Amino acid sequence: MNIEKFQESMYKLIVETSTNLPKDVRRAIKAAAERENAGTRSAMSLDTIKNNIKMADDNVSPICQDTGLPTFKIKTPVGANQIEMKKAIYNAIAQATKDGKLRPNSVDSLTGENSGDNLGGGTPVIKFEQWEKDHIDARLILKGGGCENKNIQYSLPAELEGLGRAGRDLDGIRKCIMHSVYQAQGQGCSAGFIGVGIGGDRSSGYDLAKEQLFRTVDDVNPHPELRDLEEYVMENANKLGIGTMGFGGETTLLGCKVGVMNRIPASFYVSVAYNCWAYRRLGVAVNPESGEIQEWMYQEGEKIDFAQPAAQEIAAAVEAPVEQNVVTLTAPITEEQIRELKVGDVVRIDGMMYTGRDAIHKYLSDHDSPVDLNGQVIYHCGPVMLKDEEGNWHVKAAGPTTSIREEPYQGDIMKKFGIRAVIGKGGMGAKTLASLKEHGGVYLNAIGGAAQYYADCIKSVEGVDLMNFGIPEAMWHLNVEGFTAVVTMDSHGNSLHEEVEKSSLEKLAQFADRVYK
Ligand code: SF4
């Protein structure tokens, strides 16, 4: 094989997967946007998502800043040199990281040290299989941490919140799948897709679930009982009212694919792999001699390009006849300004904000801050950054990360430094909510995955601290304009996340009765 060409082909596969959402996923998002009621928070989020997809196309930049753990599934003809292919994939991954198409995401599990090039023990994941065809089938999925953390595995029989006993039968499986959508809420950047694996052991069950994510959104399951189950879930999960980003709304789930394998009599697992709307998976057929791409996969049907100017559409969405109040804030923000905000208000931020993820939160809880954070805004974000030849930093992708990870620290840090607003996704818990009330703070939910839209709002990078934590974890000083997010936790003890969780649990309970006899 021409291994240099193969490396080039893998590089193209990585870049396309990170920047160009597949056609079937685009159609599912378009259909969801059409179902959503105009002027709602979910409709506004979907508008932002559509714009973001278009901006990623235009800029050939990552759709979401979290480019996940690259996972390749490769089928090779007998005789293909998998050792050489693996080396070529490693080189392609390192190059794509250097070019800002992937975020450096591989960290030492014990020290937290970032390898800087997405290579390290276990990363990327490459699974080879031999087959009897004469071409190479190479598929890639980039699945971010926010949705990966919402994967769930059930061991039947089980007692499920809202649904009661789930037994070792099709009805028990149905309950597990419904519950999996409920427990994800908006934290996996809903509206999402689920792959379900029935059977196997703990690891092969999850593999089977992830395997389902390589199916096309609009295929039809050849297994009649699984097809019925998929249809049932699609119809009913959307009645839970969780909506895009967990803001409430008509569409919670965009796709459900179920596979089955044998198990041993003692175990009965139902494994669910949750994927966010930024469902980045593509594939290529490669010639095993030339190493060149023969064909791209997932290319059937119409391609929606969401071609509307970003600024206009965002402005239209924000200015539509919505029930929300739109408030512009510039740091330093006073306690009085914060106390005026209520859940549901839309906030547009101009001026400075500082990124902070897990490492920064832990650091700030034990040390002084490198900058004065009094009245300031913290953004839960691990951006994709590139340095130009003059040494200036540029933001390539900068959407919010999952906030709940900072729950142990957030309230204390806000009080310690006088921080007034935190921005992230998925909401935070009771401890933070109590601190927001006591201190006068607010939690703003940005649109998860809208990494291009938010990167566009960042007008300059004013500095960076704590680079020793690596690019995604450093504290970036960002000057923004028109950075839009929704108040989902206010200083009066209200949390939209709590409300949606409670109402979706009530709705879930309506599905407790046996459906499959
Ligand atoms: S869209 Fe959300 S869940 Fe998906 S990769 Fe991006 S941040 Fe993670």
Side-chain angles (χ1 to χ4, degrees):
M1 182 201 283
N2 182 335
I3 206 70
E4 276 166 22
K5 277 280 171 222
F6 178 74
Q7 185 175 315
E8 233 174 74
S9 298
M10 292 300 98
Y11 179 83
K12 284 183 192 157
L13 174 62
I14 296 162
V15 173
E16 278 295 291
T17 309
S18 176
T19 62
N20 186 355
L21 211 58
K23 288 179 175 180
D24 55 338
V25 177
R26 289 169 186 254
R27 289 194 295 271
I29 290 171
K30 179 172 182 257
E34 285 168 358
R35 269 195 305 274
E36 215 50 77
N37 298 317
T40 58
R41 289 182 287 267
S42 277
M44 189 186 91
S45 307
L46 283 162
D47 281 338
T48 307
I49 285 170
K50 288 189 297 174
N51 269 300
N52 188 75
I53 296 167
K54 173 70 179 144
M55 291 166 90
D57 286 346
D58 292 347
N59 303 335
V60 196
S61 286
I63 295 160
C64 177
Q65 78 289 338
D66 186 356
T67 51
L69 171 57
T71 302
F72 292 83
K73 290 221 163 204
I74 302 184
K75 292 180 180 152
T76 61
V78 176
N81 187 336
Q82 296 181 357
I83 297 170
E84 288 300 310
M85 290 170 72
K86 203 183 241 187
K87 283 188 204 153
I89 292 173
Y90 288 165
N91 291 341
I93 285 277
Q95 188 62 46
T97 310
K98 196 165 167 228
D99 295 345
K101 309 299 180 187
L102 294 176
R103 185 175 73 183
N105 250 3
S106 175
V107 297
D108 183 301
S109 290
L110 300 180
T111 64
E113 193 184 335
N114 195 314
S115 70
D117 58 6
N118 268 311
L119 303 179
T123 54
V125 174
I126 307 174
K127 292 186 175 167
F128 283 108
E129 199 184 309
Q130 278 191 340
W131 68 348
E132 292 190 343
K133 294 191 182 171
D134 59 6
H135 69 275
I136 297 167
D137 179 303
R139 299 183 192 223
L140 169 63
I141 187 164
L142 299 173
K143 185 174 184 294
C147 57
E148 181 68 12
N149 292 346
K150 298 317 293 183
N151 291 357
I152 189 165
Q153 191 167 59
Y154 301 90
S155 173
L156 296 181
E159 277 302 317
L160 301 178
E161 195 184 7
L163 292 168
R165 169 62 56 93
R168 290 183 153 196
D169 55 17
L170 208 48
D171 201 66
I173 296 164
R174 169 192 73 88
K175 285 186 177 177
C176 293
I177 303 174
M178 290 297 290
H179 184 268
S180 73
V181 178
Y182 157 74
Q183 63 86 38
Q185 290 290 304
Q187 289 164 12
C189 291
S190 58
F193 300 81
I194 51 173
V196 181
I198 303 169
D201 64 7
R202 287 213 182 262
S203 59
S204 65
Y206 264 134
D207 268 354
L208 180 63
K210 282 199 175 173
E211 183 73 41
Q212 304 311 305
L213 295 174
F214 284 100
R215 288 171 52 192
T216 52
V217 176
D218 31 27
D219 74 355
V220 176
N221 199 318
H223 190 304
E225 282 177 319
L226 299 187
R227 183 189 60 222
D228 290 350
L229 185 58
E230 289 174 0
E231 284 171 4
Y232 171 91
V233 172
M234 285 309 294
E235 186 187 334
N236 293 300
N238 283 323
K239 294 179 185 162
L240 296 178
I242 296 165
T244 304
M245 295 300 130
F247 288 167
E250 304 300 315
T251 306
T252 300
L253 199 60
L254 296 167
C256 170
K257 302 291 163 190
V258 186
V260 65
M261 61 170 30
N262 281 9
R263 58 184 173 85
I264 58 170
S267 306
F268 197 132
Y269 296 111
V270 177
S271 312
V272 182
Y274 189 95
N275 206 105
C276 53
W277 68 262
Y279 181 12
R280 292 154 290 172
R281 57 103 176 85
L282 273 177
V284 284
V286 176
N287 183 307
E289 269 89 50
S290 70
E292 286 178 343
I293 294 173
Q294 291 174 326
E295 193 188 338
W296 284 87
M297 292 163 197
Y298 305 104
Q299 299 306 312
E300 299 76 28
E302 187 193 1
K303 180 169 182 180
I304 315 289
D305 75 355
F306 299 121
Q308 267 172 297
Q312 278 176 27
E313 191 163 320
I314 295 291
V318 172
E319 280 148 25
V322 290
E323 59 264 24
Q324 302 100 323
N325 193 17
V326 181
V327 180
T328 300
L329 291 178
T330 301
I333 303 165
T334 64
E335 182 177 347
E336 292 66 41
Q337 283 174 293
I338 292 296
R339 298 259 180 220
E340 279 172 21
L341 295 172
K342 302 221 164 25
V343 160
D345 289 348
V346 173
V347 169
R348 277 190 278 195
I349 296 179
D350 292 335
M352 291 305 295
M353 62 173 65
Y354 299 88
T355 65
R357 298 196 351 149
D358 310 40
I360 294 289
H361 280 75
K362 184 168 185 314
Y363 179 87
L364 290 180
S365 66
D366 309 325
H367 300 82
D368 271 346
S369 171
V371 290
D372 182 3
L373 290 173
N374 196 21
Q376 299 296 322
V377 180
I378 287 284
Y379 182 24
H380 296 161
C381 171
V384 178
M385 306 291 292
L386 269 193
K387 204 181 211 175
D388 64 22
E389 281 164 8
E390 283 83 50
N392 300 316
W393 286 103
H394 300 277
V395 183
K396 302 306 286 179
T401 193
T402 306
S403 299
I404 195 71
R405 297 196 308 270
E406 319 315 340
E407 181 67 7
Y409 310 108
Q410 194 67 76
D412 296 339
I413 286 173
M414 288 184 86
K415 287 188 265 180
K416 179 173 170 186
F417 295 103
I419 297 162
R420 290 289 169 205
V422 288
I423 308 172
K425 74 170 174 80
M428 303 195 72
K431 187 172 176 227
T432 302
L433 189 61
S435 299
L436 297 178
K437 192 172 177 184
E438 181 196 335
H439 161 67
V442 74
Y443 176 81
L444 303 169
N445 203 120
I447 312 304
Q452 290 305 310
Y453 164 66
Y454 288 117
D456 197 49
C457 296
I458 298 168
K459 299 305 165 196
S460 59
V461 180
E462 300 289 321
V464 59
D465 283 302
L466 301 168
M467 264 297 263
N468 50 316
F469 293 142
I471 287 177
E473 296 282 344
M475 180 188 268
W476 295 94
H477 309 185
L478 307 175
N479 187 12
V480 305
E481 202 177 292
F483 188 110
T484 305
V486 178
V487 178
T488 53
M489 294 167 68
D490 64 23
S491 62
H492 311 286
N494 303 309
S495 164
L496 179 69
H497 308 282
E498 256 181 34
E499 274 172 41
V500 171
E501 190 166 344
K502 192 162 163 256
S503 71
S504 59
L505 181 60
E506 285 164 12
K507 288 174 185 146
L508 183 72
Q510 293 166 9
F511 299 101
D513 292 341
R514 179 165 276 276
V515 169
Y516 292 104
K517 306 291 175 205

